[in-house]
Amino acid sequence: MTKLSVNINKIATLRNARGGNMPDLLKTAADIESFGAQGITIHPRPDERHIRYQDARDLKALVTTEYNIEGNPVKQFIDLVLEVRPTQVTLVPDAVDAITSNAGWDTVKHKDFLKDVIQTFKNAGIRTSIFVDAEAKMVEGAAETGTDRIELYTESYAKDYGKGPEKAVMPFTEAAKIAYQCGLGLNAGHDLSLDNIKYFKENVPHLLEVSIGHALICEALYLGLENVVTMYLNKLK
């Protein structure tokens, strides 16, 4: 079974909109775990517009499943991850002003930089993952950095799924095979939803984990959070 890690950034966005502590981010994370999710993901950004750096610290004492912190490895982020020591760190090349992640790493161009950062985290006993596009060259380049895993950036799959799922998933199927041949663990995330997750799971081999936030929280507004987590878990069997 592919693991479900729930990204709770949107819970923090809602909390921050009014100040105070409603909804309670920590309680929500604990509830999501109690509903069966096998991980919690956060993506703190320098402006702390949703997840705050203190949230990352507070969650460390609470999360009992896999704890995944993702973000651009600027110094502030690196320091935070080394302090908190989550289960996994996922490196994402998002710009400071990006609304959301919108590209994977060029693992060829940035190989030396990624190697240094990854070694820093691995020395601290933290599993590493790199956010990459579903391109053979980028997957192969990731393998040369020493990373443990890659996370396939799935926006194009989600965007094209309605036009034809077979064509939409093809690059991801091939990228997954290459990752396996290179000895890389495989994660995936970005715009995966209840509509498209089952087909993705069935057609992308060796998929260890998906990270889902925006769609899951939107679906939960209508269907309820516990129900939606259960629905994802059923589709990932």
Side-chain angles (χ1 to χ4, degrees):
M1 180 176 176
T2 301
K3 290 184 177 181
L4 171 66
S5 185
V6 177
N7 185 316
I8 58 173
N9 277 24
K10 287 299 183 294
I11 301 298
T13 300
L14 185 58
R15 174 199 63 189
N16 295 353
R18 286 286 296 270
N21 195 39
M22 182 183 292
D24 186 324
L25 186 81
L26 300 183
K27 183 179 185 305
T28 302
D31 287 343
I32 288 169
E33 288 187 311
S34 74
F35 300 154
Q38 297 103 341
I40 297 294
T41 291
I42 60 171
H43 188 145
R45 287 182 165 85
D47 62 6
E48 299 186 292
R49 64 180 180 268
H50 34 63
I51 291 293
R52 299 166 182 156
Y53 274 45
Q54 188 57 45
D55 292 330
R57 299 181 180 99
D58 294 340
L59 284 162
K60 172 65 175 180
L62 176 88
V63 175
T64 59
T65 59
E66 179 184 290
Y67 186 21
N68 175 45
I69 301 181
E70 59 183 29
N72 194 342
V74 297
K75 185 181 186 306
Q76 185 181 11
F77 178 83
I78 292 172
D79 290 345
L80 176 72
V81 173
L82 291 175
E83 175 189 348
V84 174
R85 299 194 179 218
T87 317
Q88 175 176 269
V89 57
T90 301
L91 309 182
V92 183
D94 52 352
V96 173
D97 59 349
I99 295 176
T100 186
S101 305
N102 54 20
W105 284 96
D106 183 332
T107 57
V108 177
K109 180 179 179 181
H110 299 290
K111 181 176 73 171
D112 290 341
F113 170 73
L114 290 168
K115 285 178 69 173
D116 289 344
V117 174
I118 286 165
Q119 192 58 55
T120 297
F121 289 136
K122 292 181 80 168
N123 287 344
I126 303 167
R127 189 175 74 222
T128 58
S129 181
I130 303 176
F131 198 58
V132 298
D133 296 316
E135 299 175 11
K137 186 177 181 181
M138 295 301 112
V139 175
E140 292 165 351
E144 295 183 12
T145 68
T147 190
D148 299 302
R149 296 187 182 186
I150 57 169
E151 178 176 330
L152 293 178
Y153 172 41
T154 52
E155 181 182 16
S156 64
Y157 166 75
K159 180 180 178 182
D160 296 334
Y161 177 80
K163 304 173 187 176
E166 299 89 351
K167 184 177 180 180
V169 83
M170 190 179 302
F172 298 88
T173 302
E174 295 306 311
K177 292 176 181 177
I178 294 168
Y180 184 75
Q181 292 167 359
C182 291
L184 295 171
L186 185 70
N187 300 338
H190 202 90
D191 289 348
L192 295 173
S193 69
L194 285 174
D195 290 335
N196 60 41
I197 188 64
K198 184 175 176 62
Y199 190 85
F200 189 86
K201 154 69 177 174
E202 291 174 344
N203 289 276
V204 178
H206 316 297
L207 184 61
L208 299 174
E209 171 187 308
V210 292
S211 175
I212 305 178
H214 183 74
L216 187 152
I217 299 304
C218 290
E219 291 156 344
L221 292 175
Y222 291 92
L223 302 172
L225 187 56
E226 181 175 5
N227 186 38
V228 166
V229 169
T230 300
M231 292 170 74
Y232 273 101
L233 292 172
N234 288 334
K235 288 177 182 290
L236 289 168
K237 288 181 179 178

